[in-house]
Amino acid sequence: MHIPNPPLRRTVGDKTQVYDPIRSRYVVETPEEQVRQAVIIFLVHELGYPAGCMQVEVELSAGASHRRRIDLAVMTPDGETWLLIECKRPDTPLSADTLAQVWRYALHRSPHYVAVTNGKQLAVFPFATSAPSTAGDAPPSTHLDTFPPYPKVS
């Protein structure tokens, strides 16, 4: 995956901001935000995902003292969680710990797929949607190398 320059940027003080079309506002440009915006652009413009079905920084409840956020969630037209994506800085390798993190996050939403990317590498895993407890504590050893197509409306 190529990390393009976000199409809308501005400087406020000493901070560069990028426009996030999902949140409809400018946000501080960080390496992780560059990856997130590249993923959004790719999903919408290359794969035809509807931007209206995406949510950014979705809070996942893991108990009162363990609030977690996933970078990007894609919902189906029926409101099911289709895909959860964790975005990492480009210099963060996709290690076993990184993959396990997104897998643990998925246990709270039971998506069809989970993905993690640093903008250079991408790992996408089918997730056991029938019963989250059967998904296990870690992703399988094999993964897809691209995002799944968005589900057709029936």
Side-chain angles (χ1 to χ4, degrees):
M1 177 183 308
H2 169 68
I3 303 174
N5 283 329
L8 295 174
R9 302 169 95 173
R10 70 180 186 188
T11 302
V12 177
D14 63 346
K15 303 278 186 191
T16 300
Q17 296 180 333
V18 295
Y19 186 76
D20 181 335
I22 307 304
R23 293 179 275 187
S24 299
R25 64 182 173 92
Y26 281 88
V27 295
V28 174
E29 183 177 33
T30 63
E32 183 179 282
E33 191 63 45
Q34 288 175 335
V35 172
R36 181 175 21 233
Q37 292 307 313
V39 169
I40 291 169
I41 289 167
F42 182 78
L43 291 175
V44 172
H45 296 287
E46 298 296 324
L47 297 182
Y49 278 50
C53 292
M54 294 183 189
Q55 302 170 355
V56 174
E57 292 189 345
V58 177
E59 189 168 299
L60 305 171
S61 177
S65 63
H66 298 293
R67 296 198 181 267
R68 305 279 190 250
R69 289 181 187 255
I70 191 80
D71 287 310
L72 189 60
V74 179
M75 311 305 288
T76 67
D78 298 332
E80 294 179 14
T81 304
W82 177 248
L83 172 63
L84 293 179
I85 305 168
E86 181 67 14
C87 299
K88 297 297 185 185
R89 299 170 52 101
D91 59 356
T92 300
L94 300 189
S95 66
D97 288 343
T98 304
L99 298 175
Q101 173 194 11
V102 71
W103 198 256
R104 285 190 305 271
Y105 287 177
L107 293 172
H108 299 281
R109 290 289 285 262
S110 298
H112 290 262
Y113 295 91
V114 296
V116 61
T117 184
N118 60 12
K120 298 174 185 175
Q121 299 171 291
L122 171 66
V124 180
F125 301 92
F127 194 80
T129 56
S130 58
S133 61
T134 64
D137 294 332
S141 58
T142 59
H143 64 274
L144 308 172
D145 59 0
T146 189
F147 293 107
Y150 190 74
K152 302 280 186 220
V153 178
S154 43

